[in-house]
Amino acid sequence: MRGEPSCPKCGGRVRAPGLFADSWQCATHGAVHPLQPIIPPSVNALTVVVNHARVPVWMPWPLPVGWLFTGVARAGDDRDGGRATAVACSGPGPLGGPGELLLIAEELGVGLGARYAGVAGPDPAPYLDVSKQPPVKVLAAGRPTPLWLARGTPEDRAVFVGEAMGLWLWAVVWPQQSGLLMYDEIVLADLRDAGAEMDLVPCGALSPRIIS
């Protein structure tokens, strides 16, 4: 785990705002919203991200049977708030073995979702064919939300992308065959609206996917 902010697009070091720039800077990507250090999953960690977020903090709710919350991340600083969030959940895959799911909400251009998806970013449009029917629909904050299967992603994962509340919604699933999970009737809650129910979120060990 890093102890300092990093670039959401590449994981590289970033320079804090100063005399010559009023934004965080990556040597490769220029101005970025910094990815904050990731800490072990807990209700307190979720609360910190929720309190800073200017975008949804998506989580399947209820979680699939046997699944646990296993990590959370945010890109953005205390001045501008969280411009991207990622929530990791882990549990038994639909075809056996362990499964991992990352749900990312982000503003245009942040690039965190593309990084987890394993594609060149910052945004998913080049990897989507929206002329075809979306294979997956989830209920996000009470609204039916279509997700398209992204093309050109690494073979070890399945990546679904759409828009929810005017922002990108990425669902990245490992291994690829566990993408079948997304074909169930998945209900996503925005944890900014969860209130006291957030205390009921079951926590597991930190997922390595969210720190990769």
Side-chain angles (χ1 to χ4, degrees):
M1 291 178 286
R2 289 182 176 272
E4 58 186 22
S6 60
C7 175
K9 299 176 181 178
C10 68
R13 296 184 66 179
V14 290
R15 188 171 64 250
L19 183 61
F20 300 106
D22 61 0
S23 60
W24 290 80
Q25 297 287 320
C26 169
T28 301
H29 295 105
V32 296
H33 296 292
L35 181 65
Q36 297 298 322
I38 294 169
I39 60 176
S42 66
V43 172
N44 286 340
L46 267 180
T47 300
V48 168
V49 171
V50 165
N51 287 344
H52 285 88
R54 295 179 59 173
V55 301
V57 184
W58 296 119
M59 178 180 282
W61 198 255
L63 283 165
V65 175
W67 282 65
L68 302 170
F69 157 63
T70 53
V72 65
R74 66 182 173 102
D77 59 17
D78 291 342
R79 178 186 63 180
D80 295 328
R83 303 305 186 93
T85 63
V87 172
C89 300
S90 307
L95 298 180
E100 303 267 358
L101 168 65
L102 253 62
L103 292 168
I104 302 100
E106 64 180 355
E107 295 180 353
L108 189 72
V110 176
L112 185 62
R115 176 180 167 188
Y116 286 131
V119 297
D123 298 310
Y127 308 99
L128 303 180
D129 184 356
V130 295
S131 66
K132 296 181 178 179
Q133 284 291 106
V136 165
K137 286 188 179 180
V138 299
L139 199 64
R143 297 187 177 184
T145 302
L147 299 179
W148 283 266
L149 186 63
R151 304 166 296 184
T153 60
E155 293 183 357
D156 67 336
R157 71 201 73 179
V159 179
F160 302 87
V161 192
E163 290 185 47
M165 299 175 66
L167 302 159
W168 291 125
L169 167 58
W170 302 72
V172 187
V173 189
W174 292 266
Q176 187 182 68
Q177 58 266 31
S178 286
L180 291 172
L181 177 75
M182 299 302 299
Y183 292 83
D184 291 337
E185 295 181 356
I186 298 292
V187 177
L188 303 182
D190 180 358
L191 294 181
R192 295 178 301 173
D193 301 324
E197 286 190 40
M198 203 156 61
D199 293 338
L200 304 176
V201 173
C203 302
L206 180 65
S207 169
R209 303 296 184 184
I210 204 163
I211 57 176
S212 62

